Amino acid sequence: QVQLVESGGGLVQAGGSLRLSCAASGRTFSVYGMGWFRQAPGKEREFVAAIGRSGGSTTYADSVKGRFTISRDNVKNTYLQMNSLKPEDTAVYYCAASATWRWGTPGSGDFGSWGQGTQVTVSS
């Protein structure tokens, strides 16, 4: 089992930045990829970014390319740097861990462990 805890969410004005963190614990040896997803009110959860075990193999949703950056310090800590935030980025952001994702744009089904989410609100 892998436990994930997100932090770093908050309220920010449009154009501002936030850095989300995800701390993993438990059976992290089984984790290959880490990802970030988000869910806005009235919408389904959508993919934001993912990163491979070694810190390479990054992929991003088109909506955040050039603005968000996913990174890893190690198997435990994963980050999402969010710049040039827009009101449409407002959502609950979830960290997720995958033992199977290797390439391409993942779906939520590729991730077996999820954090509780952290709220990001971007005001205009």
Side-chain angles (χ1 to χ4, degrees), residues 56-79:
S57 302
T58 58
T59 187
Y60 298 89
D62 288 342
S63 60
V64 306
K65 285 181 179 177
R67 300 188 298 118
F68 292 10
T69 302
I70 188 170
S71 62
R72 300 180 74 169
D73 286 343
N74 46 50
V75 69
K76 179 179 179 180
N77 299 308
T78 306
Y79 307 95

Side-chain angles (χ1 to χ4, degrees), residues 48-120:
V48 176
I51 189 168
R53 184 182 65 240
S54 66
S57 302
T58 58
T59 187
Y60 298 89
D62 288 342
S63 60
V64 306
K65 285 181 179 177
R67 300 188 298 118
F68 292 10
T69 302
I70 188 170
S71 62
R72 300 180 74 169
D73 286 343
N74 46 50
V75 69
K76 179 179 179 180
N77 299 308
T78 306
Y79 307 95
L80 185 68
Q81 178 66 46
M82 305 185 295
N83 298 327
S84 301
L85 283 162
K86 304 174 181 179
E88 50 263 46
D89 294 318
T90 295
V92 177
Y93 283 71
Y94 297 90
C95 177
S98 175
T100 59
W101 176 77
R102 295 291 186 274
W103 65 85
T105 301
S108 60
D110 295 309
F111 294 82
S113 299
W114 296 81
Q116 83 289 347
T118 185
Q119 177 70 48
V120 172

Side-chain angles (χ1 to χ4, degrees), residues 35-47:
W36 289 95
F37 292 75
R38 67 187 183 186
Q39 187 168 18
K43 297 183 179 179
E44 295 186 348
R45 190 171 300 184
E46 66 175 350
F47 167 73

